[in-house]
Amino acid sequence: MIGRLIHRYRRVVPYLLLLPGLAWLILFFVIPNIPMFLYSLSEGRAFTPSFQQPPEVWAWWNYPDSVTRYADNFRNSIVYGGLATIFTVLIGYPLAYAIAFRGGRYKTLLLFMVIAPFFTSFLIRTISWKIILGNDGPFLTVMRDVLGVVPANFSVLFTPLAVVTGLTYEFLPFMVLPLYVSLEKVDIRLIEAARDLYAGPWRPRGTLIGAILGGLLGLAIAFGLGNASFGTDGDLTTAVVGGALGAVIGGVVAHLFITEAFVRVTFPLTVPGLFAGSLLVLIPAVGDFVNAELLGNPKTLMIGNVIQGRFLNQNDYPTASALSFILMAAILVAITIYARVLGTEELQNAAV
């Protein structure tokens, strides 16, 4: 009886299965956004976070005013979130590759080690980095007192580097797991066939491409972390050194480790995992406020810190709501462009 009903209405079954998820989204996402949208177009301050009637005057200027007033915080969120996403790719891809193809019987243990930090509170993990990166912490103790590679007054804590480090650590598992799933699906016979067809070391073209990408990444890191600018010769020197160092590292890595088989077979097959991992890292990293609060300084505050302060400390619901919608819109635009660049329906399915 039940089987015949399912067969008769089989076209309706997928939509019925979607109902719980749609109900959840409508109840906890769409409906709360309605009063928040009304707040964002209200004048003055709303001291009570309750549903409002449409305001008498639609204060559309809240949106451009918010962007202009907090442009630096938006820039920090985009730069720090973007750098954290790049670093999670650079760290997570080799790690996922090693687990998938070299993990053997220890795969389960290695994957458990990847997600083990989630058994500890997000706040405690961030405070732990505050201790590690402190002036008397283990990192500077080794770099300054043991190796002597940094000056005595060198500091990492309360800098953009500390914020990006915390973001990278917190969201690294979100990059590793999707990449591992994609790598696990790769048929090893395809890689072996590519090697049989002389898809060997990616040289010399790969060395050149690696050097270019490494140099660009070095420049992005130097400017993104505030260590370089176009203002003085010293800052430009830092940028040049960062770009040159990145080019050397990128060229060496591409020369020694990247093969034609990886470029033509493995990497294209794992792009859906890379896409999904990038979304899982970029979205929460851009909106994060804990790492900037504990590891940064007033100049490194991200837009999440501003939204939190406006909502909880100043009761400025119109500005906070406008900033929230601007952040959501910016993330959606970035995701759309990213999906268009990578393309294919498989990537769209991966995003879902």
Side-chain angles (χ1 to χ4, degrees):
M1 181 67 178
I2 297 178
R4 281 184 294 178
L5 286 175
I6 294 176
H7 180 74
R8 179 180 299 179
Y9 300 103
R10 61 184 181 277
R11 295 184 179 180
V12 184
V13 171
Y15 299 99
L16 294 177
L17 295 176
L18 284 175
L19 284 180
L22 290 176
W24 181 274
L25 287 176
I26 292 173
L27 184 61
F28 294 105
F29 180 74
V30 176
I31 293 178
N33 274 327
I34 295 175
M36 193 168 77
F37 179 72
L38 296 178
Y39 283 135
S40 71
L41 297 176
S42 301
E43 291 182 297
R45 296 186 177 182
F47 294 95
T48 304
S50 59
F51 183 82
Q52 289 184 331
Q53 297 297 323
E56 296 181 0
V57 178
W58 296 92
W60 294 101
W61 56 84
N62 284 343
Y63 285 86
D65 288 350
S66 299
V67 173
T68 304
R69 186 175 181 181
Y70 300 106
D72 291 340
N73 303 103
F74 275 112
R75 186 193 66 239
N76 289 343
S77 295
I78 295 171
V79 172
Y80 299 163
L83 287 177
T85 304
I86 293 173
F87 287 146
T88 55
V89 172
L90 296 178
I91 299 171
Y93 203 110
L95 178 58
Y97 187 95
I99 296 174
F101 293 120
R102 299 289 185 268
R105 59 179 179 177
Y106 299 106
K107 285 183 180 181
T108 303
L109 176 61
L110 293 173
L111 289 174
F112 173 78
M113 293 176 65
V114 169
I115 65 173
F118 287 154
F119 290 90
T120 306
S121 168
F122 186 96
L123 183 61
I124 293 177
R125 298 201 305 269
T126 307
I127 294 175
S128 298
W129 274 104
K130 190 173 183 179
I131 298 173
I132 293 172
L133 299 177
N135 291 333
D136 297 324
F139 176 75
L140 279 183
T141 299
V142 174
M143 300 295 291
R144 179 188 58 210
D145 302 332
V146 178
L147 300 179
V149 296
V150 296
N153 60 348
F154 184 79
S155 178
V156 177
L157 193 60
F158 308 126
T159 65
L161 177 60
V163 177
V164 175
T165 300
L167 291 172
T168 302
Y169 167 76
E170 300 288 0
F171 301 115
L172 179 61
F174 294 117
M175 180 65 72
V176 174
L177 296 180
L179 284 174
Y180 169 78
V181 172
S182 291
L183 287 163
E184 186 72 11
K185 294 179 180 179
V186 175
D187 191 343
I188 193 68
R189 293 174 297 180
L190 296 176
I191 302 176
E192 294 173 350
R195 291 171 180 169
D196 292 339
L197 295 174
Y198 305 102
W202 196 33
R203 306 166 188 163
R205 182 177 57 180
T207 305
L208 178 61
I209 294 176
I212 293 174
L213 294 178
L216 293 175
L217 178 59
L219 290 174
I221 294 173
F223 283 102
L225 297 181
N227 296 324
S229 66
F230 294 102
T232 62
D233 294 338
D235 290 337
L236 288 177
T237 301
T238 303
V240 171
V241 172
L245 183 60
V248 171
I249 296 175
V252 170
V253 170
H255 185 83
L256 296 179
F257 301 106
I258 307 300
T259 64
E260 288 277 0
F262 174 82
V263 174
R264 296 180 179 273
V265 178
T266 307
F267 183 76
L269 292 175
T270 56
V271 168
L274 178 63
F275 178 81
S278 298
L279 296 188
L280 291 174
V281 172
L282 180 64
I283 293 174
V286 169
D288 182 76
F289 62 91
V290 176
N291 286 276
E293 180 72 27
L294 297 179
L295 303 179
N297 61 68
K299 293 183 178 181
T300 63
L301 293 180
M302 301 167 66
I303 198 63
N305 301 97
V306 177
I307 295 173
Q308 179 207 26
R310 286 286 164 178
F311 264 128
L312 301 181
N313 299 332
Q314 303 181 38
N315 291 329
D316 188 0
Y317 285 85
T319 300
S321 300
L323 290 172
S324 300
F325 275 105
I326 293 170
L327 181 61
M328 284 192 291
I331 291 175
L332 287 175
V333 171
I335 291 172
T336 302
I337 295 174
Y338 189 41
R340 294 276 183 174
V341 171
L342 295 181
T344 77
E345 294 182 357
E346 188 176 6
L347 287 179
Q348 300 292 347
N349 295 333
V352 176

